[in-house]
Amino acid sequence: MTSSIWRLLAGRTFAAFASALIPTTLTLAVVRTGSAADLGIVLASELLPMLLLLPVAGVAADRFPARRVVLAADLVRAAAQGATGVLLLTGPVRIPQLAALAAVTGAGVAFGNPSARTLVAAVVPAGGRLRVNSRLGVATGLAQMAGPAAAGTMMLALGAGWSSLLTGALFAASALTLGGLRTAPAPLVRTRAGFTAELRAGWSETRRHPWFLANVLAHGVWHLAAGLLLTLGPLIAVQSLGGAATWVVIAQVGTAGMLVGVWAAGRLPVRRPLYGVAVGASAQALPLTALALRLPAAVTATAFFVAMFGLGVLSPLWETEMQRRIPLETLGRVGSFDTLISFAARPLGLAVAAPLAGVTGTAAPLLVAAALSAAANLSVLLLPDVRRQPEREPSLALR
């Protein structure tokens, strides 16, 4: 494996771990004020700029070298998290300043996400992308599992400020890894259109790929259902499955399933990757149904393992298919629509879960979500572009 790929993997691992520290750090810092409204303001301050700036970030990912955009995004997040750490260490929690820094962090996330996908396509030859995406998936999964525990430990031992300073240092370390990256030459562009024209061109390119639009909408349903699951699942576990500790075990089993899935994605003999994406996403119906029917904890944990294994498999396959099927010069703009739907749908599911359950009970929303998630994701198999077997590409040995 080349030094550029090692640098890419190291940098994205640093950034993934830093990103995983932020939610727990902010939550534990703000809840000390005793106000749920304060926590909502801070979390929304990060999410809203992220959603609003994603289309702009997609244009930036295609207009400028991906390495430079990711570098700038990492440095912005490093500065915002460093300032957050200083703010938390120098006095009581100040919500307006914390919300403003969260907004800066959200802007950095918006610009870093589409360009990171483009960066992989620019650094890694086509035949090696699935293996690299799988390894990035393992790193991200481990970060998501270890990040909250690390943030909580630092919060209890040293304070939230030190956790934010560590987060800033990790983003800075990610930025440092980008210095020696060698990327493929950018496509020759003789003239540059204006921002609005490039945004329209990105949407036109998106519409040119029915397989992409169908999958993105199906993934939106998946994320919406995930919001219901993550809200109602703990409630059902406490009421019927043995308590909060049972939900912790179920969640950890699911994390293990995801890690096994991303590890296996590059090794399974998948001839039609989008089949794997569709089937993997549809497996989400299993834990939704198990929770709705209040099946025993062991059955629910097994269902959650299978669903998260499916998520682990589909993530590298999806990233690799996007990088293979969508031209590099439009990948940032097209990919930003995927990220936008994903970021927007899950908070919606989180928001509507409790009101729906209050009216209908927990079973009905979960069963409807299970049916919709399975139907939306399996229906994409009807498209000819999804059923088409990809051409063989030269392999790249990664050792």
mmCIF file of all heavy atoms in Angstrom, residues 77-96:
data_model
loop_
_atom_site.group_PDB
_atom_site.id
_atom_site.type_symbol
_atom_site.label_atom_id
_atom_site.label_comp_id
_atom_site.label_asym_id
_atom_site.label_seq_id
_atom_site.Cartn_x
_atom_site.Cartn_y
_atom_site.Cartn_z
ATOM 1 N N ARG A 77 -12.238 23.074 11.901
ATOM 2 C CA ARG A 77 -12.755 22.305 13.033
ATOM 3 C C ARG A 77 -11.758 22.266 14.183
ATOM 4 O O ARG A 77 -12.149 22.306 15.355
ATOM 5 C CB ARG A 77 -13.125 20.897 12.578
ATOM 6 C CG ARG A 77 -14.388 20.853 11.729
ATOM 7 C CD ARG A 77 -14.781 19.459 11.331
ATOM 8 N NE ARG A 77 -13.925 18.927 10.277
ATOM 9 C CZ ARG A 77 -14.113 17.750 9.696
ATOM 10 N NH1 ARG A 77 -15.126 16.978 10.080
ATOM 11 N NH2 ARG A 77 -13.310 17.331 8.736
ATOM 12 N N ALA A 78 -10.464 22.191 13.857
ATOM 13 C CA ALA A 78 -9.450 22.213 14.911
ATOM 14 C C ALA A 78 -9.515 23.524 15.688
ATOM 15 O O ALA A 78 -9.463 23.539 16.930
ATOM 16 C CB ALA A 78 -8.063 22.020 14.302
ATOM 17 N N ALA A 79 -9.638 24.643 14.954
ATOM 18 C CA ALA A 79 -9.710 25.946 15.619
ATOM 19 C C ALA A 79 -10.978 26.072 16.459
ATOM 20 O O ALA A 79 -10.940 26.567 17.603
ATOM 21 C CB ALA A 79 -9.650 27.056 14.572
ATOM 22 N N ALA A 80 -12.117 25.629 15.916
ATOM 23 C CA ALA A 80 -13.385 25.743 16.640
ATOM 24 C C ALA A 80 -13.371 24.897 17.910
ATOM 25 O O ALA A 80 -13.821 25.338 18.977
ATOM 26 C CB ALA A 80 -14.546 25.333 15.740
ATOM 27 N N GLN A 81 -12.824 23.688 17.817
ATOM 28 C CA GLN A 81 -12.791 22.828 18.989
ATOM 29 C C GLN A 81 -11.757 23.310 20.009
ATOM 30 O O GLN A 81 -11.965 23.199 21.214
ATOM 31 C CB GLN A 81 -12.501 21.386 18.567
ATOM 32 C CG GLN A 81 -13.658 20.718 17.856
ATOM 33 C CD GLN A 81 -14.907 20.690 18.705
ATOM 34 O OE1 GLN A 81 -14.911 20.184 19.822
ATOM 35 N NE2 GLN A 81 -15.995 21.254 18.188
ATOM 36 N N GLY A 82 -10.650 23.847 19.525
ATOM 37 C CA GLY A 82 -9.690 24.434 20.454
ATOM 38 C C GLY A 82 -10.293 25.599 21.217
ATOM 39 O O GLY A 82 -10.124 25.721 22.444
ATOM 40 N N ALA A 83 -11.013 26.467 20.498
ATOM 41 C CA ALA A 83 -11.676 27.601 21.153
ATOM 42 C C ALA A 83 -12.750 27.124 22.121
ATOM 43 O O ALA A 83 -12.941 27.701 23.199
ATOM 44 C CB ALA A 83 -12.278 28.522 20.099
ATOM 45 N N THR A 84 -13.459 26.046 21.751
ATOM 46 C CA THR A 84 -14.465 25.474 22.658
ATOM 47 C C THR A 84 -13.814 24.990 23.939
ATOM 48 O O THR A 84 -14.331 25.194 25.050
ATOM 49 C CB THR A 84 -15.213 24.324 21.968
ATOM 50 O OG1 THR A 84 -15.867 24.813 20.796
ATOM 51 C CG2 THR A 84 -16.242 23.702 22.903
ATOM 52 N N GLY A 85 -12.653 24.318 23.800
ATOM 53 C CA GLY A 85 -11.944 23.848 24.980
ATOM 54 C C GLY A 85 -11.536 24.987 25.899
ATOM 55 O O GLY A 85 -11.715 24.908 27.128
ATOM 56 N N VAL A 86 -11.008 26.053 25.322
ATOM 57 C CA VAL A 86 -10.614 27.218 26.128
ATOM 58 C C VAL A 86 -11.836 27.822 26.811
ATOM 59 O O VAL A 86 -11.806 28.190 27.999
ATOM 60 C CB VAL A 86 -9.903 28.259 25.240
ATOM 61 C CG1 VAL A 86 -9.670 29.550 26.018
ATOM 62 C CG2 VAL A 86 -8.588 27.699 24.715
ATOM 63 N N LEU A 87 -12.952 27.923 26.073
ATOM 64 C CA LEU A 87 -14.179 28.482 26.627
ATOM 65 C C LEU A 87 -14.660 27.677 27.830
ATOM 66 O O LEU A 87 -15.056 28.239 28.863
ATOM 67 C CB LEU A 87 -15.262 28.522 25.542
ATOM 68 C CG LEU A 87 -16.620 29.120 25.929
ATOM 69 C CD1 LEU A 87 -16.488 30.612 26.164
ATOM 70 C CD2 LEU A 87 -17.645 28.847 24.825
ATOM 71 N N LEU A 88 -14.612 26.347 27.713
ATOM 72 C CA LEU A 88 -15.093 25.493 28.795
ATOM 73 C C LEU A 88 -14.149 25.482 29.986
ATOM 74 O O LEU A 88 -14.584 25.238 31.121
ATOM 75 C CB LEU A 88 -15.300 24.069 28.275
ATOM 76 C CG LEU A 88 -16.419 23.883 27.243
ATOM 77 C CD1 LEU A 88 -16.418 22.471 26.684
ATOM 78 C CD2 LEU A 88 -17.779 24.208 27.867
ATOM 79 N N LEU A 89 -12.874 25.743 29.747
ATOM 80 C CA LEU A 89 -11.899 25.710 30.834
ATOM 81 C C LEU A 89 -11.807 27.026 31.600
ATOM 82 O O LEU A 89 -11.276 27.056 32.714
ATOM 83 C CB LEU A 89 -10.509 25.360 30.291
ATOM 84 C CG LEU A 89 -10.287 23.909 29.848
ATOM 85 C CD1 LEU A 89 -8.939 23.762 29.164
ATOM 86 C CD2 LEU A 89 -10.391 22.955 31.038
ATOM 87 N N THR A 90 -12.314 28.087 31.016
ATOM 88 C CA THR A 90 -12.112 29.405 31.618
ATOM 89 C C THR A 90 -13.339 29.962 32.322
ATOM 90 O O THR A 90 -13.344 31.138 32.710
ATOM 91 C CB THR A 90 -11.665 30.423 30.546
ATOM 92 O OG1 THR A 90 -12.613 30.436 29.479
ATOM 93 C CG2 THR A 90 -10.292 30.066 30.010
ATOM 94 N N GLY A 91 -14.353 29.173 32.505
ATOM 95 C CA GLY A 91 -15.508 29.682 33.226
ATOM 96 C C GLY A 91 -16.715 28.785 33.055
ATOM 97 O O GLY A 91 -16.618 27.687 32.474
ATOM 98 N N PRO A 92 -17.859 29.234 33.547
ATOM 99 C CA PRO A 92 -19.084 28.452 33.376
ATOM 100 C C PRO A 92 -19.493 28.364 31.905
ATOM 101 O O PRO A 92 -19.035 29.144 31.065
ATOM 102 C CB PRO A 92 -20.112 29.250 34.191
ATOM 103 C CG PRO A 92 -19.573 30.642 34.215
ATOM 104 C CD PRO A 92 -18.090 30.504 34.248
ATOM 105 N N VAL A 93 -20.347 27.403 31.602
ATOM 106 C CA VAL A 93 -20.805 27.201 30.232
ATOM 107 C C VAL A 93 -21.568 28.429 29.763
ATOM 108 O O VAL A 93 -22.511 28.895 30.421
ATOM 109 C CB VAL A 93 -21.702 25.949 30.146
ATOM 110 C CG1 VAL A 93 -22.292 25.807 28.748
ATOM 111 C CG2 VAL A 93 -20.916 24.701 30.501
ATOM 112 N N ARG A 94 -21.121 28.986 28.616
ATOM 113 C CA ARG A 94 -21.783 30.153 28.026
ATOM 114 C C ARG A 94 -22.420 29.714 26.710
ATOM 115 O O ARG A 94 -21.723 29.473 25.726
ATOM 116 C CB ARG A 94 -20.764 31.269 27.813
ATOM 117 C CG ARG A 94 -20.344 31.948 29.100
ATOM 118 C CD ARG A 94 -19.037 32.680 28.964
ATOM 119 N NE ARG A 94 -17.897 31.760 29.142
ATOM 120 C CZ ARG A 94 -16.625 32.132 29.075
ATOM 121 N NH1 ARG A 94 -16.318 33.390 28.820
ATOM 122 N NH2 ARG A 94 -15.669 31.249 29.246
ATOM 123 N N ILE A 95 -23.732 29.600 26.724
ATOM 124 C CA ILE A 95 -24.458 28.980 25.614
ATOM 125 C C ILE A 95 -24.297 29.751 24.305
ATOM 126 O O ILE A 95 -24.047 29.134 23.257
ATOM 127 C CB ILE A 95 -25.953 28.808 25.974
ATOM 128 C CG1 ILE A 95 -26.091 27.855 27.162
ATOM 129 C CG2 ILE A 95 -26.729 28.251 24.773
ATOM 130 C CD1 ILE A 95 -25.472 26.487 26.948
ATOM 131 N N PRO A 96 -24.418 31.077 24.261
ATOM 132 C CA PRO A 96 -24.283 31.764 22.961
ATOM 133 C C PRO A 96 -22.933 31.514 22.296
ATOM 134 O O PRO A 96 -22.873 31.237 21.086
ATOM 135 C CB PRO A 96 -24.466 33.237 23.328
ATOM 136 C CG PRO A 96 -25.271 33.219 24.576
ATOM 137 C CD PRO A 96 -24.801 32.015 25.327
#
